[in-house]
Amino acid sequence: MHLKRPAAGRSRPLRSLLAVDFDLSDEQAAIQRLARDFAQGEVRPVAEELDREKRFPYELVKQMGELGLMGIPYPESYGGGGADTLSYALVVEELARVDSSVGITLAAHTSLGTWPIYAFGDESQKAEWMPGLCAGETLGAFGLTEPEAGSDAANVRTRARLEDGEWVIDGAKQFITNSGTDISGFVAITARTGEGEISNIIVPNGTPGYAVGQAYRKMGWNASDTRPLSFDGARVPEENLLGPRGMGFKQFMQTLDGGRISVSAMGVGLAQGALDEALAYARERQAFGKSISKFQAIQAKLADISTEIAAARLLTYKAAKEKDEGRNFSLTAAQAKLKTGRLAVRAAEEAVQIHGGYGYIEEYPVCRFYRDAKILTIGEGTDEVQQMVIARALGA
Ligand code: COS
């Protein structure tokens, strides 16, 4: 298509509007292929069993570490993959297309466990943690949510006071991903360190007074690790402060912005996986003398979901691109999160519907997809929080 030359004086904004590059670079496409081959070849065959047995995927994490996927957006100097955020989103999407538990294990590790160390840590903290995190030998966890601080994340009750060169921590966290596996290394928590002051502190697993509770019995994401944490006079060195004192809330809000991109990729991937399954089933299933994919009622569902996926994917990739370009991506990440979470729920529901009674049976992946989808409208900020973020950005 030949585009008209923009009028003088308007060339910059117009050019930037037109400069949407829909093609992946060779490197991005190669990473997508690698992730797809791994997801389809290694994850897919064990996904149902991991879910049924609520078993953490240690072997897959090890393999993802060896493939370089556990630290994909971090510099090679720290043992990372040196790739961009879009490449990372592509990896999460391919995993969630097959198994959300494996997808969130990698996504929470990368965006929430590793990012605070990389973005806010000093060189000695990075030297201590980054190589193991990027190799997938150590998992990091992010401790923001508390019984009284969910959507209202600033309402932190966990306290840390300085005593003899150590932080003494008392409080509780909940719904913390990757906190209690055999390879969990630490949790980076928000804590009140003074009047009106919230800071981030690294608490290594095994610290006396820091207890990791029993894994929750969840609706979905059964093979992922999610636990409550408690701190009862837990002591860590003063140097475990992450970034400047008093900056904890802003640091964690920034961390969540990035996390919303990966959770959006989870939604796109889950929706695509639901569509894959629904299409395959509809082609095969015969009713009234023909394949049900030939009925308009089924075709309309498939067409609508595929169109919604195409739109949601673009929004997600746009948020990733904005982050890579160093632009403010909070708004786009919130929009992508809102859009993709709802889409995942709808796509999974339609996929179950197309499967009829079989969709209600656990042997069919769409049954698991349906249970796995709902958290995408809740975790990493509820839909209502995304609406708040979006409305504020609009100036409403
Ligand atoms: N990046 C950097 N700084 C941010 C920020 C962001 N995305 N969002 C807010 N801030 C800063 C503000 O600029 C403000 O700074 P100043 O005090 O210097 O003005 C400060 O943080 C407080 O911001 P705000 O007044 O907007 O905070 P609120 O308490 O009103 O909270 C929401 C805002 C609702 C957006 C926040 O609490 C939130 O995201 N909650 C959901 C938490 C969540 O997603 N939990 C799920 C965790 S799953 S791992």
Side-chain angles (χ1 to χ4, degrees):
M1 189 171 74
H2 183 72
L3 290 169
K4 263 173 55 181
R5 198 170 257 288
R10 297 189 56 200
S11 62
R12 277 184 74 89
L14 259 184
R15 190 168 303 144
S16 71
L17 268 181
L18 295 173
V20 179
D21 185 354
F22 293 98
D23 294 327
L24 299 180
S25 70
D26 289 347
E27 188 191 333
Q28 289 160 346
I31 290 171
Q32 185 185 47
R33 262 197 312 278
L34 175 75
R36 184 172 298 166
D37 288 349
F38 176 75
Q40 299 291 336
E42 306 295 326
V43 182
R44 193 180 167 86
V46 294
E48 192 271 333
E49 182 183 320
L50 289 171
D51 175 78
R52 178 163 31 88
E53 296 181 357
K54 303 185 190 327
R55 186 152 50 83
F56 186 79
Y58 286 107
E59 188 53 37
L60 295 174
V61 169
K62 186 164 176 279
Q63 286 176 270
M64 292 193 292
E66 286 161 2
L67 287 172
L69 298 178
M70 293 298 281
I72 195 128
Y74 298 109
E76 290 172 11
S77 54
Y78 293 119
D84 57 12
T85 310
L86 179 51
S87 302
Y88 164 48
L90 294 168
V91 171
V92 175
E93 184 183 331
E94 291 301 329
L95 294 174
R97 186 172 175 180
V98 171
D99 184 350
S100 291
S101 288
V102 175
I104 193 58
T105 298
L106 180 132
H109 168 73
T110 308
S111 288
L112 304 180
T114 309
W115 173 263
I117 302 286
Y118 171 66
F120 313 122
D122 59 29
E123 279 311 318
S124 86
Q125 289 166 334
K126 289 189 208 184
E128 181 177 358
W129 295 110
M130 287 298 290
L133 290 166
C134 289
E137 289 161 3
T138 303
L139 293 180
F142 171 84
L144 173 68
T145 305
E146 298 188 5
E148 300 298 324
S151 290
D152 186 5
N155 191 25
V156 177
R157 301 283 170 91
T158 296
R159 292 186 174 274
R161 62 176 198 283
L162 264 183
E163 206 179 276
D164 302 330
E166 290 181 320
W167 293 105
V168 184
I169 306 165
D170 289 287
K173 299 285 172 183
Q174 63 182 17
F175 307 146
I176 309 302
T177 305
N178 289 340
S179 56
T181 72
D182 295 348
I183 54 171
S184 298
F186 65 87
V187 60
I189 59 161
T190 46
R192 240 169 236 293
T193 47
E195 199 48 44
E197 184 185 276
I198 297 175
S199 305
N200 289 330
I201 299 173
I202 303 170
V203 185
N205 285 50
T207 299
Y210 165 37
V212 178
Q214 281 291 317
Y216 293 102
R217 291 174 55 230
K218 294 170 292 190
M219 176 191 286
W221 286 8
N222 280 333
S224 74
D225 180 80
T226 323
R227 296 171 191 259
L229 312 178
S230 64
F231 305 87
D232 184 10
R235 299 178 86 96
V236 298
E238 187 174 357
E239 306 80 71
N240 283 25
L241 185 73
L242 190 54
R245 196 169 163 161
M247 289 299 288
F249 186 71
K250 286 188 191 181
Q251 289 171 347
F252 269 26
M253 285 302 104
Q254 276 177 33
T255 304
L256 283 180
D257 282 342
R260 284 170 190 159
I261 298 175
S262 61
V263 172
S264 300
M266 295 271 310
V268 174
L270 189 149
Q272 182 65 56
L275 177 65
D276 296 343
E277 296 292 336
L279 180 59
Y281 180 84
R283 277 200 185 127
E284 199 179 291
R285 174 72 174 167
Q286 301 280 318
F288 305 101
K290 57 182 174 183
S291 158
I292 65 168
S293 67
K294 300 296 174 204
F295 287 104
Q296 277 189 343
I298 302 295
Q299 290 180 342
K301 290 183 196 300
L302 296 170
D304 281 356
I305 294 298
S306 95
T307 305
E308 287 287 308
I309 292 171
R313 181 176 280 132
L314 283 181
L315 200 48
T316 302
Y317 292 3
K318 179 168 181 259
K321 206 157 182 280
E322 285 177 359
K323 181 167 190 287
D324 285 332
E325 287 169 359
R327 294 154 62 190
N328 185 335
F329 62 96
S330 302
L331 170 62
T332 315
Q335 289 173 327
K337 166 76 171 61
L338 182 62
K339 174 87 186 157
T340 54
R342 288 171 169 176
L343 166 63
V345 171
R346 176 157 173 247
E349 189 187 2
E350 291 288 42
V352 168
Q353 192 68 25
I354 289 170
H355 278 67
Y358 292 108
Y360 207 66
I361 305 292
E362 288 288 358
E363 282 139 55
Y364 287 78
V366 291
C367 188
R368 169 167 50 86
F369 283 28
Y370 187 65
R371 290 187 285 97
D372 283 343
K374 183 57 198 162
I375 189 63
L376 296 171
T377 68
I378 299 170
E380 207 98 4
T382 59
D383 281 5
E384 294 74 12
V385 161
Q386 309 313 322
Q387 288 167 328
M388 272 172 77
V389 172
I390 295 164
R392 286 181 185 185
L394 294 178

